[in-house]
Amino acid sequence: MSDGEPLVRWQWIGDHAGELADYTGVHLRLGLLPVLFGLIISVPLGIVCHRRGWLYAPVLTVANILYAIPSLALFMIFVNYTGLTERTVMIPLTLYTLSVLVPAVVDGLASVPEPVRQAATALGFGPARRIVQVELPIAVPVVIAGVRVAAVSSLSLVAVGQLIGQGGLGYYITRGLQLDFPTPIVTAIALIMLLALTTDALLVLAQRLLTPWSRSKVTTS
Amino acid sequence: MNELLNQLRLVGDWLASSQQWHGDGGIPQRLLEHLTYSGLSLLFAALIGLASGLLVGHTGRGAFAVAGVATLARAIPTFGLVVLVVTLAGLSTTPVLVALVALAVPPILLNTFEGVRGVDPATRDAARGVGMTEWQVLVRVEVPMALPLILLGLRIAAIQVVATATVAAYPGLGGLGRFIVDGLSRNDYELVIGGSTLVVVLALLVQIGFTALRRAIVSPGLRVAAFTS
């Protein structure tokens, strides 16, 4: 970097506001859709693991092994099948969320007090209706704690996708390196962190709205 | 399926060719670089994360700050941080270490803190009651009981570090990511997949290593409890 170049040239941000907004939208899509897909997979999988305890250990092991595969390597492996597309970034990110979301669903269901379960059964709730109307709502705080971790990690991982040309705001990180110009890099990092922290705050808010009875104890882990 | 077999054969060919195993830019050199980045940053991160996690967990002060720091650090895109530090400070090992330490501290800190805080207060009181000093309570009671979670934090950090050290190659540094980035720019798919395979194998070895370590050092009395975490 040349001497005297400031860390941020505000002028550049002003000139690129429209473009930055477009990439921010792409970034949100690439980062958050995988969390949604992950949740769609994890809720039924978690319910099954909760019902059939012996299934949980092998499922968790597979999820942890998937999580251990580096994102860059996993992107490369999928390039062969899905090309340099958004899917190539979103499939690995979806797989990563499982190692957080499946335990979150299982722990959430395990947090339902036994008397509550029995009371629901006594009131005539069948297994399916009991899961949907009683157990899952009680599991919401623990599940959302997992969703927060998954969403924040996913949004910051998207940037690596730029190495296959699909990185949302990661575009500005490689651009800044090519131009030897720090402003786009700093802007991209700041925007990505802003997206992650805003998402986190919105999820905390969502949890309060969804579970008005547990407003006093919000847990994070 | 044929595609997959073909892919595996390419990797086999690449790994088997002897030129990969010698000299400048060969697998041994790249592996050594990768292990140096990962090992050093994990060491620094463990010093920071364990010390602060034990302190906050033991005293109970600053719990709120720990959760905040963990979320904030998780939100930092490591790839961006590596590139930024290289742009500002030039090509050297330091930028990689800074970024990887920032990545590895939160899981270690958070799990150490949760582990120590999760020790039953009655157990802690009993330890004080038999005349242990605060230091002894920490070292002889809290740390052994928190060990499953502490190891979980270290394992998560180690895997993330080994996996993420690959991005160091993008701004021109070494490590196993070199094969992936070079292969991409040369359209040499064999190189990309070969490099990726090496990183995956390394990450799995770390996972296996930590499982073995847990068997070896966690107190037998805690093993059942450790599984649920």
Side-chain angles (χ1 to χ4, degrees):
Chain A
M1 191 182 84
S2 55
D3 289 332
E5 174 67 33
L7 201 55
V8 180
R9 283 190 182 275
W10 298 101
Q11 173 82 41
W12 181 91
I13 299 179
D15 292 346
H16 293 76
E19 200 188 80
L20 280 166
D22 291 345
Y23 277 99
T24 302
V26 176
H27 198 96
L28 278 175
R29 181 170 72 230
L30 288 174
L32 293 184
L33 276 184
V35 180
L36 183 66
F37 297 147
L39 206 56
I40 291 172
I41 300 172
S42 298
V43 169
L45 199 58
I47 291 173
V48 173
C49 286
H50 176 67
R51 287 278 178 85
R52 310 254 179 277
W54 54 270
L55 256 176
Y56 186 37
V59 167
L60 195 59
T61 306
V62 171
N64 281 336
I65 288 175
L66 285 172
Y67 184 75
I69 302 176
S71 53
L72 188 50
L74 207 50
F75 292 155
M76 293 311 150
I77 291 165
F78 276 100
V79 164
N80 207 13
Y81 304 96
T82 47
L84 301 175
T85 62
E86 291 192 353
R87 270 183 301 167
T88 310
V89 174
M90 288 200 270
I91 295 171
L93 290 181
T94 302
L95 295 176
Y96 288 144
T97 63
L98 300 183
S99 75
V100 180
L101 294 180
V102 173
V105 173
V106 174
D107 291 347
L109 291 175
S111 76
V112 177
E114 191 54 33
V116 171
R117 226 184 292 270
Q118 288 172 3
T121 310
L123 284 170
F125 283 67
R129 202 167 141 235
R130 198 183 66 199
I131 281 273
V132 175
Q133 295 190 347
V134 179
E135 297 184 39
L136 281 179
I138 294 179
V140 162
V142 182
V143 175
I144 289 200
V147 173
R148 289 171 60 192
V149 173
V152 172
S153 315
S154 183
L155 283 168
S156 78
L157 260 180
V158 169
V160 180
Q162 190 56 42
L163 294 178
I164 58 158
Q166 300 286 352
L169 287 164
Y171 166 73
Y172 292 103
I173 295 171
T174 54
R175 194 85 189 112
L177 185 72
Q178 287 155 3
L179 299 175
D180 195 22
F181 177 37
T183 301
I185 308 176
V186 175
T187 311
I189 295 177
L191 279 175
I192 292 170
M193 290 185 69
L194 189 67
L195 290 182
L197 297 178
T198 310
T199 305
D200 192 60
L202 288 176
L203 284 167
V204 173
L205 194 68
Q207 190 212 317
R208 293 200 181 187
L209 294 175
L210 285 171
T211 59
W213 59 87
S214 68
R215 202 160 281 174
S216 52
K217 39 170 188 172
V218 176
T219 53
T220 55
S221 66
Chain B
M1 201 63 211
N2 271 338
E3 191 86 7
L4 188 68
L5 285 176
N6 200 29
Q7 205 162 314
L8 286 173
R9 198 176 46 79
L10 277 180
V11 174
D13 289 351
W14 182 74
L15 287 173
S17 66
S18 66
Q19 71 201 40
Q20 306 300 341
W21 293 93
H22 300 285
D24 219 27
I27 292 172
Q29 189 206 339
R30 294 302 178 210
L31 187 63
L32 190 67
E33 286 166 348
H34 204 93
L35 290 175
T36 310
Y37 298 155
S38 314
L40 276 179
S41 38
L42 198 62
L43 184 71
F44 288 128
L47 288 177
I48 300 169
L50 287 178
S52 36
L54 291 177
L55 186 71
V56 176
H58 183 75
T59 62
R61 283 183 207 143
F64 188 72
V66 166
V69 166
T71 305
L72 199 64
R74 205 180 281 128
I76 301 175
T78 318
F79 176 54
L81 196 58
V82 174
V83 172
L84 179 66
V85 186
V86 167
T87 315
L88 297 180
L91 271 185
S92 66
T93 317
T94 325
V96 189
L97 291 187
V98 171
L100 292 180
V101 168
L103 177 76
V105 166
I108 300 176
L109 171 61
L110 202 62
N111 282 289
T112 306
F113 162 71
E114 294 280 349
V116 172
R117 196 188 57 168
V119 173
D120 188 345
T123 312
R124 205 174 285 148
D125 278 350
R128 292 204 180 99
V130 298
M132 285 190 183
T133 62
E134 286 305 301
W135 178 252
Q136 285 172 327
V137 171
L138 179 68
V139 175
R140 295 200 197 160
V141 178
E142 289 174 335
V143 169
M145 294 197 74
L147 208 51
L149 269 182
I150 293 176
L151 285 177
L152 178 73
L154 286 170
R155 190 191 76 195
I156 295 173
I159 285 176
Q160 284 187 344
V161 162
V162 165
T164 311
T166 45
V167 305
Y170 178 72
L173 294 156
L176 294 172
R178 200 65 268 148
F179 298 119
I180 302 176
V181 173
D182 288 349
L184 266 181
S185 62
R186 280 188 238 150
N187 274 326
D188 181 348
Y189 197 69
E190 200 178 299
L191 196 59
V192 172
I193 289 295
S196 304
T197 309
L198 288 175
V199 184
V200 174
V201 170
L202 194 60
L204 292 180
L205 286 178
V206 169
Q207 176 110 12
I208 293 168
F210 270 95
T211 308
L213 190 64
R214 197 179 75 186
R215 293 242 166 92
I217 68 173
V218 170
S219 156
L222 290 169
R223 247 170 234 165
V224 179
F227 173 73
T228 54
S229 65

